[in-house]
Amino acid sequence: MLTDKQKELVESFGVIQEQMGLSPASARVNSLLTIVDSSELSFDEIKDALNLSKSATSNAINYLLSLNRIGYKTKPGERKRYFYSKLDQWKVSFKKDFLGLYNYTAMIDEIIKNRSNENQDFNNELKDLNEFMNYFISESINLIDNWKKK
Amino acid sequence: MLTDKQKELVESFGVIQEQMGLSPASARVNSLLTIVDSSELSFDEIKDALNLSKSATSNAINYLLSLNRIGYKTKPGERKRYFYSKLDQWKVSFKKDFLGLYNYTAMIDEIIKNRSNENQDFNNELKDLNEFMNYFISESINLIDNWKKK
DNA sequence: TTTTTAGTTCTGCAAGTGGAGAACTAAAAA
DNA sequence: TTTTTAGTTCTCCACTTGCAGAACTAAAAA
């Protein structure tokens, strides 16, 4: 199912995704579904390709489904589910991530409001950071929205 | 040293920074140094303001120093160190973060190279994502570099 | 020389995470 | 009705994290 090189890539891309917050098993599953040539894999194919237990496979799959990073389809007359990478969701999730940064800037605004004017240099640093953040968030969202408009 | 509102903010900004990868204690220390009116605090002031043990305080401070998120100064004739938030480093560390994303795009390039042409739709999704990522990274670095050139 | 200061490092524990394997379940097939 | 399929959930354990408190250390003060 995988070439030797692809097996290596599943691991190394897996590590990168671990660093991005996925658990080892979820990272491997997502990595596998990105790398494998087949357009979708069954539960057991995933389990066997990664040498995972059923519980680890089940939990990893359900976690990735909850994040909307993978999806599944069924085939007529079969009960099995076939999982695939929802890579095309990247715009949606990037956008969500950037919007989430507004929590950070709102927090900084609160902090600015509640600092004395004793140390104006630092107050100005906070304001500058926040101005940039707000600018950066809206620019990033523009970049996403204007990317190959479809 | 802190108003009641500021104490609250230390906690809530602390939580946000925990979500960004800092340990609870490091997050509180960094939060405190961002919120407190004094321009710098000693080891014991930090320890007492946050009700931390000496070890937790020491480890949190040294971790933040290693990340370059805080710094310290000394006062003539005193051995104590006074710690402050290095908020002005944000440009440097944002830039480093974005440059780090090139590892991700390099990985995706490797993946593309090692997939068959069986599923061109997915191959094109990978290419599209990577094109965007490369564009986004370079644009972001431009935004940082051009921000209020000083 | 002894004591104090300003921390650092070590020891031990409580809590959380991640995954294996077994037990379980609901629907479909035999 | 029994068995198989396609998972899910439960139990247990190994490993990691984060912190407190105690022991330690090196420089400075007394």
Side-chain angles (χ1 to χ4, degrees):
Chain A
M1 179 157 86
L2 293 169
T3 66
D4 283 353
K5 180 68 181 173
Q6 284 177 330
K7 278 178 203 159
E8 259 179 57
L9 288 176
V10 168
E11 294 308 316
S12 40
F13 190 40
V15 170
I16 289 185
Q17 292 191 90
E18 273 184 66
Q19 286 159 1
M20 291 174 158
L22 295 183
S23 72
S26 303
R28 294 305 171 291
V29 171
N30 199 47
S31 185
L32 173 65
L33 293 177
T34 307
I35 290 165
V36 74
D37 289 329
S38 341
S39 55
E40 63 266 329
L41 295 180
S42 70
F43 186 98
D44 280 314
E45 284 171 330
I46 293 172
K47 175 180 161 298
D48 294 340
L50 299 173
N51 278 302
L52 287 174
S53 68
K54 289 179 85 177
S55 62
T57 309
S58 175
N59 290 328
I61 285 175
N62 286 317
Y63 182 59
L64 293 169
L65 283 171
S66 80
L67 294 180
N68 206 33
R69 302 200 33 176
I70 65 174
Y72 64 87
K73 48 185 75 158
T74 50
K75 296 183 182 178
E78 254 194 281
R79 198 148 52 94
K80 246 186 264 188
R81 292 183 291 171
Y82 291 87
F83 302 94
Y84 58 90
S85 168
K86 272 194 162 181
L87 198 69
D88 58 338
Q89 287 298 299
W90 63 262
K91 279 185 208 177
V92 177
S93 55
F94 278 9
K95 230 171 137 169
K96 215 184 290 169
D97 292 345
F98 285 114
L99 288 170
L101 286 176
Y102 282 127
N103 291 323
Y104 184 84
T105 65
M107 185 75 235
I108 301 282
D109 279 331
E110 271 287 289
I111 290 175
I112 292 169
K113 251 183 255 158
N114 285 282
R115 283 178 52 87
S116 75
N117 46 23
E118 217 172 273
N119 188 345
Q120 287 300 352
D121 280 359
F122 193 77
N123 289 355
N124 286 331
E125 281 176 24
L126 280 167
K127 282 178 196 158
D128 184 52
L129 169 60
N130 232 21
E131 255 182 77
F132 176 78
M133 288 289 290
N134 281 313
Y135 172 61
F136 178 72
I137 297 168
S138 69
E139 285 300 300
S140 297
I141 290 174
N142 283 342
L143 287 182
I144 295 168
D145 287 341
N146 295 327
W147 182 251
K148 293 189 180 169
K149 275 185 179 149
K150 282 165 190 167
Chain B
M1 179 156 87
L2 293 168
T3 66
D4 284 353
K5 180 68 183 175
Q6 284 176 331
K7 278 177 202 159
E8 260 179 57
L9 288 175
V10 168
E11 294 308 317
S12 39
F13 190 39
V15 170
I16 289 184
Q17 293 190 90
E18 273 185 65
Q19 287 159 0
M20 291 174 158
L22 294 184
S23 72
S26 304
R28 296 303 172 290
V29 171
N30 200 47
S31 186
L32 173 65
L33 292 177
T34 308
I35 289 164
V36 74
D37 289 329
S38 340
S39 56
E40 63 265 330
L41 296 180
S42 70
F43 186 99
D44 281 314
E45 285 170 329
I46 293 171
K47 176 181 162 296
D48 294 340
L50 298 174
N51 278 301
L52 287 175
S53 67
K54 289 178 87 176
S55 62
T57 309
S58 174
N59 289 327
I61 285 175
N62 287 317
Y63 182 59
L64 293 169
L65 283 171
S66 81
L67 294 180
N68 206 32
R69 302 200 33 175
I70 66 174
Y72 65 86
K73 48 184 73 160
T74 49
K75 296 182 182 179
E78 255 194 278
R79 198 147 51 96
K80 247 186 264 188
R81 292 182 294 171
Y82 291 88
F83 302 93
Y84 58 90
S85 167
K86 272 194 163 183
L87 198 70
D88 58 337
Q89 287 298 300
W90 63 261
K91 279 184 209 177
V92 177
S93 53
F94 278 8
K95 229 170 138 170
K96 216 182 290 169
D97 292 345
F98 285 115
L99 288 170
L101 287 177
Y102 282 127
N103 291 324
Y104 184 85
T105 64
M107 185 75 236
I108 301 282
D109 279 332
E110 271 288 288
I111 291 175
I112 292 170
K113 250 182 258 156
N114 286 281
R115 282 177 54 85
S116 76
N117 46 22
E118 218 171 275
N119 188 344
Q120 286 300 349
D121 280 359
F122 193 76
N123 289 354
N124 285 331
E125 280 176 26
L126 280 166
K127 281 178 197 158
D128 184 53
L129 169 60
N130 232 21
E131 256 183 75
F132 176 78
M133 288 289 292
N134 282 312
Y135 172 60
F136 178 73
I137 297 168
S138 70
E139 284 301 299
S140 297
I141 288 173
N142 283 340
L143 286 183
I144 295 167
D145 287 340
N146 295 326
W147 182 251
K148 291 189 181 169
K149 275 187 179 146
K150 282 162 194 170

